[in-house]
Amino acid sequence: MTEQEKQVWYDALKERANQPGTYAVTGGMRVAELGDGWARGELLLEERHRNPMGIVHGGVYCTLLDQVAGAAACTRGSRGLTVNCETRFLGIAQGDVLCGHAQAIHMGRTLVVMHAWVTDSQDTLCADGTYTFRMKPGFPED
């Protein structure tokens, strides 16, 4: 792909990832930036994101990790299906913003492996994981 074609793909991918009504977007998440083999997403924390102990629910971390890892996995013109995810919960988030990051470990034609992590507003590592995706060409038909 040319640089212009890549940018068109990235813009379409970001629009699709942030499509209103989808699970992650309904939960308040959005993919903010992406490029070849990487992505960054954000979530403004609300009370609904907390568990009964008042800390961020583990499912919030898992969803944000999967969202950014999945977007990053698709940056070379394919769509992906999560086939495995491993998540580690490492710290309690402080502040009101979570930032999800993903970076490619391996980007093959049919399998992509991503390292993903979540930091809070104080740049504390809260969770990380490894996500594996089975890839297919292009977007599914709408």
Side-chain angles (χ1 to χ4, degrees):
M1 278 195 267
T2 67
E3 288 304 313
Q4 185 177 8
E5 290 169 330
K6 286 180 187 178
Q7 193 56 54
V8 168
W9 178 259
Y10 298 158
D11 291 344
L13 180 56
K14 192 161 83 169
E15 182 179 334
R16 191 172 190 89
N18 294 323
Q19 188 174 349
T22 58
Y23 180 73
V25 173
T26 300
M29 297 170 198
R30 73 179 192 91
V31 173
E33 298 178 278
L34 46 80
D36 186 20
W38 67 272
R40 187 179 68 76
E42 300 171 341
L43 170 65
L44 181 60
L45 288 171
E46 301 173 16
E47 198 56 37
R48 65 184 168 142
H49 298 119
R50 301 188 185 282
N51 66 21
M53 295 187 312
I55 60 176
V56 175
H57 191 283
V60 172
Y61 292 121
C62 290
T63 302
L64 183 55
L65 290 166
D66 191 51
Q67 183 76 348
V68 295
C74 295
T75 57
R76 292 196 178 166
S78 297
R79 59 187 162 122
L81 170 70
T82 307
V83 294
N84 189 52
C85 60
E86 174 189 335
T87 303
R88 291 169 293 278
F89 305 105
L90 304 170
I92 296 173
Q94 304 297 314
D96 59 357
V97 175
L98 292 181
C99 188
H101 312 264
Q103 181 66 54
I105 296 171
H106 170 77
M107 292 191 79
R109 190 176 52 79
T110 59
L111 277 182
V112 169
V113 181
M114 288 283 163
H115 175 237
W117 65 99
V118 175
T119 56
D120 64 14
S121 9
Q122 297 171 1
D123 209 29
T124 301
L125 182 61
C126 300
D128 82 339
T130 304
Y131 283 70
T132 304
F133 299 90
R134 168 97 34 221
M135 306 307 291
K136 293 189 174 187
F139 285 139
E141 295 300 318
D142 290 324

